[in-house]
């Protein structure tokens, strides 16, 4: 039975696939992708939602689910009674790259009034000696990182992009704890 069906308590990319055949899981993933959306969480702006139909994302069947089945040892099914079996399968898809860039360019976080540049840490003279100033995080969006994160979310059916946490903002060039900054302040104070 389990040579062609997933064990009970099996999830692939968070989708319950218990007792399902590969073809059933493929159909379920296609259905999930058709209804999929991702929420963009930006600093100081309300969350925004992108729906896949907006940029033509379509599920493309590959062997990822079949490979997940091959990893499963059919004779080890009793172990599935006592543990959750969480698997990850890379979902392949087609999408319209230009439409995705258009959607990203229309997000509120892309508006000029929300684009605050990051400020790098620097070395300043404080009376008698030099010291390091702290960097300041900005909200200028790194469009390529955001696009890649959105596609990564779709690949594994994640539903959120947390802009700061996912490093989708342009980072300061130097941080207060950067080797270059610390070396500079040490050299200047010598």
């Amino acid at each position: 039975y389990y040579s062609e069906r997933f064990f009970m308590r099996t999830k692939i990319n968070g989708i319950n696939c218990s007792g399902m055949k590969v073809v059933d899981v493929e159909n379920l993933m296609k259905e999930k992708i058709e209804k999929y959306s991702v929420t963009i969480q930006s600093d100081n702006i309300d969350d925004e939602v992108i729906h896949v139909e907006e940029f033509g994302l379509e599920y493309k069947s590959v062997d990822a689910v079949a490979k997940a089945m091959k990893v499963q040892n059919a004779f080890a099914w009793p172990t599935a009674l006592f543990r959750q079996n969480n698997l990850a399968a890379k979902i392949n898809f087609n999408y319209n790259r230009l439409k995705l860039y258009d959607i990203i360019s229309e997000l509120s976080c892309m508006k000029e009034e929300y684009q605050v540049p990051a400020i790098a840490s620097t070395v300043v003279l404080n009376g008698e000696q030099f010291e390091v100033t702290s960097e300041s995080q900005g909200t200028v969006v790194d469009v390529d990182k955001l696009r890649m994160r959105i596609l990564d979310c779709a690949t594994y059916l994640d539903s959120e992009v947390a802009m700061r946490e996912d490093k989708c903002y342009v980072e300061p060039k130097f941080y207060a704890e950067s080797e270059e900054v610390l070396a500079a302040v040490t050299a200047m104070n010598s």
Side-chain angles (χ1 to χ4, degrees), residues 3-174:
S3 63
E4 58 182 37
R5 294 179 185 269
F6 285 100
F7 291 154
M8 59 195 101
R9 300 179 57 140
T10 296
K11 289 185 176 182
I12 299 177
N13 297 359
I15 299 171
N16 184 0
C17 302
S18 299
M20 297 175 78
K21 292 183 176 187
V22 170
V23 68
D24 298 327
V25 173
E26 290 265 348
N27 289 335
L28 183 59
M29 287 197 172
K30 181 179 180 184
E31 182 182 311
K32 292 276 187 189
I33 277 285
E34 288 171 356
K35 297 176 183 174
Y36 176 75
S37 63
V38 62
T39 301
I40 311 296
Q41 299 172 336
S42 306
D43 291 0
N44 305 322
I45 302 173
D46 290 338
D47 292 353
E48 297 179 83
V49 178
I50 298 174
H51 301 278
V52 294
E53 66 267 7
E54 295 178 60
F55 61 97
L57 188 101
E58 295 176 343
Y59 180 77
K60 187 171 119 181
S61 180
V62 291
D63 294 338
V65 176
K67 286 178 185 174
M69 173 61 77
K70 286 181 183 177
V71 170
Q72 177 178 281
N73 177 357
F75 298 110
W77 68 266
T79 63
L81 296 171
F82 305 106
R83 65 178 171 85
Q84 182 70 43
N85 191 17
N86 292 314
L87 306 173
K90 184 175 180 185
I91 298 172
N92 286 328
F93 45 79
N94 297 318
Y95 72 100
N96 185 318
R97 181 181 301 261
L98 293 176
K99 281 187 181 178
L100 181 56
Y101 275 118
D102 286 346
I103 290 166
I104 290 172
S105 71
E106 293 173 14
L107 292 171
S108 294
C109 62
M110 297 299 293
K111 292 181 180 173
E112 191 173 333
E113 65 259 27
Y114 298 116
Q115 300 274 322
V116 177
I119 299 171
S121 178
T122 58
V123 177
V124 295
L125 181 61
N126 183 12
E128 298 177 13
Q129 67 178 14
F130 290 93
E131 65 182 24
V132 177
T133 64
S134 295
E135 70 280 348
S136 175
Q137 299 292 328
T139 56
V140 173
V141 177
D142 185 322
V143 176
D144 289 327
K145 284 184 180 177
L146 177 57
R147 179 184 59 83
M148 291 306 298
R149 180 64 185 122
I150 290 169
L151 295 175
D152 284 346
C153 284
T155 299
Y156 296 104
L157 295 174
D158 292 338
S159 61
E160 295 178 351
V161 173
M163 297 283 285
R164 179 75 54 211
E165 184 180 315
D166 293 332
K167 300 190 182 302
C168 294
Y169 292 121
V170 175
E171 301 268 334
K173 186 171 182 176
F174 297 106

